[in-house]
Amino acid sequence: MKKILFILAAVIIAFSAGAKVSNDTTVCFKISPAMSCINCETKIKTNLRYEKGISAIEATAPGDQVKIKFNKTKTDAAKIAKAFGKIGYKAIPANACELKGHNGKTTCGKTKCCNKAATCCQDKKDCSK
């Protein structure tokens, strides 16, 4: 009888652990002044990673946009914008994100852009151009 109760409890725990709701969200910020070098990019990534709730930071210099993934139960866009201020940047949430990669391609959200005009591919795969 004890084995059956133990197995039942283990099954209930396994199902409840799998039913977690994700509280992660991603926001793109337009920053000023723009990042001009790898040191600017490193400064942002290094300092913001210590802010509560932030799980990923995507920034590529040169550029003026930073994409941040965070837990919305622990922080929000306003608190993150304030954190940018601590390191000398003004940040406002942007409607769309176009981050230039080190390989010269541009990333727009979850799609990849391939040409110099930054036309996004619809298949969400890396382009061969």
Side-chain angles (χ1 to χ4, degrees), residues 33-60:
M35 297 175 286
S36 58
C37 62
I38 194 73
N39 292 333
C40 301
E41 178 185 334
T42 303
K43 179 181 180 180
I44 289 170
K45 288 179 177 179
T46 302
N47 288 289
L48 291 182
R49 72 178 176 182
Y50 294 110
E51 291 298 318
K52 187 176 181 177
I54 294 178
S55 59
I57 303 167
E58 188 178 336
T60 306

Side-chain angles (χ1 to χ4, degrees), residues 8-21:
L8 183 61
V11 169
I12 291 171
I13 290 170
F15 278 115
S16 65
K20 274 188 171 179
V21 176

Side-chain angles (χ1 to χ4, degrees), residues 4-5 15 20 47 61 90-91 103-104 112 124-127:
I4 294 172
L5 289 176
F15 278 115
K20 274 188 171 179
N47 288 289
K90 181 180 177 185
N103 61 2
K112 300 277 183 187
K124 297 182 182 180
K125 293 181 182 176
D126 243 342
C127 300

Side-chain angles (χ1 to χ4, degrees), residues 58 64 128:
E58 188 178 336
D64 66 348
S128 58

Side-chain angles (χ1 to χ4, degrees), residues 1 19 22 25 27-28 36 50 80 103 107 121:
M1 182 70 171
S22 176
T25 190
V27 174
C28 293
S36 58
Y50 294 110
I80 295 171
N103 61 2
T107 304
C121 303

